[in-house]
Amino acid sequence: MGPLDDSRVRFNCFGGRLKPRWILALCVFVASAWVLLFSPVALTTSPFDFLPNPLPAPPPRPLPPPIPGYNRPTFEELGDPFTPGPPPEDWQDAKKQVKDAFKFALDGYLARAHPFDELRALHGGGNNKFNGWSVTLYDALDTMWIMDMKEEFQHALQLISKQEFLPTTPYTFAPFFETVIRYLGGLLSAYALSGEPILLEQADKLGMKLLPVFNATKSGLPIYSVQTKNGNTGWGFVGPLVLFAEATSCQLEYKYLAKLTGRKEYYEKVERVMDIVYNAKPKDGLFADKWTGEGKEFSSHYTVGASADSGYEYLLKQWLLMGDVKARDQYLTSIDGIVNNLLRVTPERELLYVTSQIRTDPTNNFEHLACFLPGLLALGARTLPFSLLPPDKAEHHKWAAEGLAHTCYLTYADSRSGLGPDEVQMNDAGKWMDFVRGWERVGRPHAIPPGLKEPAPVRKPGKDTRDYFVKRPAYYLRPETIESFFILYKTTGNVKWRIRGWEIFQAIQKYAKTEYGYGSISNIDRPPHLPMDEMPSFFLAETLKYLYLLFDDTDIIPLDKWVFNTEAHPLPVFEWTEDERKQFGIPSDL
């Protein structure tokens, strides 16, 4: 470096060179900071004191007293390892306890959070994550009816009857997927159960307001969100891409709404999405989790977890709900691809799990969201005829359902709190079907297929002791594991699924219950297992509903007459009339 130019200022306490304008800026900054920190005005006044007519502070909102029926556990109790108690002598007692838990959560929401979307479980206020239209109320409607809480149901009807589904702010856009499965699904299910006309009127109103999402892309795939007043649309957190699950998890709701209202556009919009899916014909029936607005697969990530899960679920359920043969055939193709490519086992306890893959490489991630798959496999094996699902394949699907559900259970039973983590990374030994075929070739020794040995829980954390390490240790009050227990109990009659559901319910009661409701748990392994300040609406829509139905002996919602949407809202099985087929353009063989 050459000698200094005399025109530059040489003094710099940081050892470098500063131009005069930077010295001036520094002086202004220091002077401003001194005034703000040390001047009498800065110490004794607020910037709002200089307003000519300052507004008075609003009076504090009076809070109702704490919800009865809750005794706050001590800090030490929240840190105790969970030990499940014995199953009840009468399962109707377990069912009653779940109903009491639901009532406690609903009362807390109504007293502390309504008309906000969800309850803040620790502080007793509310938050708006899903449009600000009181999503918890809509998600809980059919649960109230199923649990014979007719007084609460009628009160909820009064609260939602005047909802116009307009933005709460000019910048509020309704996320299409979440609005369909929670609000629209909740309205349609409650209408099917109760027959209350206002519910169908509200469902039709909401269904129309959401339709602009299908007009925003060249292909007709739904864009992420819509402003329900002016019809403007917007992309979401993944940019100008469409998630597979979000595009393919509106068909149950909109086709049933088409049946009820006769509106052709409801059917046509969502069936156009299915045509794009069928025409893609991906390898092994596995669909990429992200698509372009032109209707082309964008990513090389294949999963049954987040971004794709309910898309596969709705393939089977469109057939179960309305006899859609194209969707059924795609399910058969896709479930083969899932079983042959995404099901794997661990080397230590031979745990069966489902993972994702990038191109053909497994990630060995196992998500709680993927624990819906055991129930789906069991449902398909139970309902599909042997002409479509031969006995050997049906047997594989039943085994997969049992083994996967046990692994989902172990992620709960292994943990210190008895609650399951959101995601784990598994040790991997290879594809499950490779082990199954090898076991079958040597004569099926010991009569227990690979992945079905049901090893005992291991409480000590660590990849070497548990077959996995926990990547995301929070429990978000999710329903998928309990959903699968419910379906497995209904399809097999094996009481072990009830017992395991009872263990999880006890852990929820011990750690997740708060003064006002129930909160997600931030860490299932590290004590104390403190609840978070949130109560997701799906806890009332799904988790508690599936627990209640798991313990129910009256078969309130028989699986051959009702089909649950992905938010656990049951819709009644129906058939298209000849007039409806002509009106909607449905071929006679579908």
Side-chain angles (χ1 to χ4, degrees):
M1 182 177 292
L4 287 176
D5 187 335
D6 288 339
S7 65
R8 291 183 178 176
V9 176
R10 292 182 172 87
F11 174 75
N12 181 357
C13 61
F14 297 100
R17 301 173 185 171
L18 291 177
K19 293 183 178 180
R21 64 176 177 269
W22 295 114
I23 291 290
L24 179 61
L26 181 61
C27 292
V28 171
F29 173 78
V30 172
S32 301
W34 185 91
V35 169
L36 289 173
L37 293 175
F38 301 110
S39 73
V41 172
L43 294 174
T44 60
T45 64
S46 159
F48 297 104
D49 292 337
F50 297 101
L51 292 173
N53 293 300
L55 297 174
R61 178 185 175 189
L63 290 176
I67 308 302
Y70 175 72
N71 295 315
R72 181 189 295 275
T74 65
F75 190 81
E76 290 75 15
E77 287 172 330
L78 287 171
D80 289 341
F82 174 70
T83 303
E89 294 182 5
D90 184 355
W91 285 105
Q92 298 315 293
D93 179 59
K95 177 179 161 183
K96 180 182 181 304
Q97 290 188 45
V98 174
K99 180 176 178 178
D100 290 343
F102 175 84
K103 188 175 188 311
F104 180 81
L106 180 64
D107 287 348
Y109 166 75
L110 289 171
R112 297 279 177 161
H114 185 267
F116 290 97
D117 278 335
E118 294 178 334
L119 171 72
R120 294 180 63 193
L122 296 181
H123 292 94
N127 63 57
N128 282 336
K129 295 181 180 179
F130 301 103
N131 313 333
W133 302 333
S134 311
V135 69
T136 295
L137 207 57
Y138 290 80
D139 248 353
L141 276 173
D142 54 9
T143 312
M144 294 179 220
W145 187 272
I146 289 168
M147 292 185 179
D148 197 28
M149 297 171 62
K150 300 302 192 298
E151 184 177 337
E152 290 85 349
F153 182 85
Q154 291 299 325
H155 176 58
L157 284 187
Q158 295 175 17
L159 294 176
I160 68 173
S161 62
K162 299 189 187 312
Q163 178 62 255
E164 294 297 326
F165 303 111
L166 295 174
T168 53
T169 76
Y171 312 103
T172 300
F173 279 61
F176 175 69
F177 168 73
E178 299 290 356
T179 305
V180 166
I181 65 171
R182 298 181 193 229
Y183 286 98
L184 188 58
L187 286 165
L188 290 171
S189 179
Y191 171 74
L193 290 164
S194 71
E196 291 284 352
I198 186 61
L199 295 167
L200 179 56
E201 292 172 20
Q202 291 293 81
D204 190 26
K205 183 191 301 182
L206 178 59
M208 290 298 292
K209 287 183 177 295
L210 298 178
L211 282 184
V213 298
F214 295 101
N215 303 326
T217 63
K218 292 181 180 178
S219 63
L221 292 181
I223 199 170
Y224 176 77
S225 63
V226 60
Q227 211 267 21
T228 54
K229 184 176 182 180
N230 58 29
N232 291 340
T233 56
W235 293 106
F237 61 96
V238 293
L241 295 172
V242 180
L243 297 181
F244 177 70
E246 297 196 347
T248 53
S249 303
C250 55
Q251 285 68 22
L252 298 186
E253 296 84 356
Y254 265 100
K255 289 182 178 180
Y256 180 50
L257 187 56
K259 170 79 174 176
L260 295 175
T261 63
R263 292 189 188 274
K264 184 178 180 180
E265 57 266 48
Y266 288 159
Y267 182 89
E268 288 182 333
K269 296 293 187 183
V270 298
E271 187 61 12
R272 169 61 183 149
V273 174
M274 296 311 302
D275 288 339
I276 294 170
V277 168
Y278 300 144
N279 292 333
K281 294 182 171 55
K283 184 177 183 296
D284 297 320
L286 299 178
F287 294 98
D289 65 340
K290 297 181 183 69
W291 293 56
T292 67
E294 288 72 34
K296 305 296 183 183
E297 291 186 293
F298 178 80
S299 72
S300 54
H301 182 230
Y302 307 96
T303 179
V304 295
S307 304
D309 45 6
S310 51
Y312 293 107
E313 176 188 355
Y314 274 35
L315 293 174
L316 177 65
K317 290 186 174 181
Q318 285 184 74
W319 176 65
L320 293 174
L321 185 69
M322 69 200 82
D324 191 316
V325 174
K326 275 188 178 181
R328 178 202 66 193
D329 292 347
Q330 184 60 62
Y331 170 79
L332 288 165
T333 300
S334 295
I335 204 67
D336 267 357
I338 291 168
V339 170
N340 289 317
N341 294 282
L342 301 185
L343 299 193
R344 306 181 73 86
V345 291
T346 65
E348 296 85 2
R349 291 185 285 177
E350 294 186 24
L351 302 184
L352 173 58
Y353 71 101
V354 60
T355 192
S356 60
Q357 64 183 36
I358 298 174
R359 297 182 181 87
T360 58
D361 299 324
T363 65
N364 303 329
N365 283 349
F366 181 37
E367 299 177 51
H368 192 292
L369 287 170
C371 282
F372 84 97
L373 186 62
L376 185 68
L377 284 161
L379 196 58
R382 174 68 176 268
T383 56
L384 288 162
F386 283 156
S387 60
L388 297 170
L389 190 68
D392 58 333
K393 279 191 177 182
E395 187 176 43
H396 291 161
H397 289 197
K398 291 176 184 177
W399 290 344
E402 292 265 346
L404 284 170
H406 183 73
T407 302
C408 292
Y409 162 70
L410 279 183
T411 63
Y412 282 73
D414 282 351
S415 80
R416 196 176 186 279
S417 64
L419 297 170
D422 207 49
E423 185 178 356
V424 298
Q425 179 83 16
M426 307 293 280
N427 298 345
D428 186 62
K431 290 182 178 179
W432 177 64
M433 281 304 298
D434 290 345
F435 286 92
V436 169
R437 293 186 183 107
W439 173 75
E440 289 177 331
R441 280 196 299 269
V442 297
R444 300 187 172 194
H446 312 299
I448 301 178
L452 273 78
K453 292 182 179 178
E454 298 206 348
V458 174
R459 278 289 175 89
K460 184 179 180 182
K463 190 175 181 181
D464 297 331
T465 56
R466 280 189 181 170
D467 314 73
Y468 60 84
F469 71 87
V470 175
K471 291 180 68 176
R472 292 161 62 186
Y475 170 63
Y476 294 110
L477 300 175
R478 290 200 191 276
E480 291 80 17
T481 295
I482 296 164
E483 172 188 356
S484 286
F485 290 177
F486 160 66
I487 296 174
L488 279 161
Y489 176 70
K490 290 298 182 182
T491 55
T492 69
N494 194 326
V495 74
K496 72 181 180 183
W497 302 115
R498 273 185 160 179
I499 295 172
R500 292 170 180 179
W502 173 247
E503 291 178 14
I504 292 172
F505 177 65
Q506 291 178 81
I508 290 172
Q509 288 290 81
K510 178 173 182 177
Y511 296 113
K513 194 172 185 180
T514 72
E515 191 170 352
Y516 309 116
Y518 290 82
S520 303
I521 301 299
S522 58
N523 195 305
I524 50 91
D525 265 330
R526 184 180 301 161
H529 309 293
L530 299 174
M532 299 160 65
D533 197 20
E534 62 176 26
M535 186 176 75
S537 70
F538 58 68
F539 180 65
L540 285 80
E542 302 184 73
T543 308
L544 292 177
K545 181 187 293 159
Y546 280 130
L547 279 167
Y548 184 83
L549 295 174
L550 175 62
F551 302 144
D552 171 57
D553 288 325
T554 64
D555 205 20
I556 304 170
I557 307 292
L559 294 179
D560 61 339
K561 292 182 171 57
W562 296 85
V563 176
F564 289 89
N565 87 336
T566 197
E567 190 79 2
H569 296 308
L571 303 174
V573 172
F574 67 87
E575 294 182 359
W576 299 111
T577 67
E578 286 304 314
D579 288 343
E580 288 167 343
R581 288 183 178 276
K582 290 177 183 177
Q583 180 185 0
F584 300 154
I586 306 172
S588 58
D589 58 343
L590 288 186

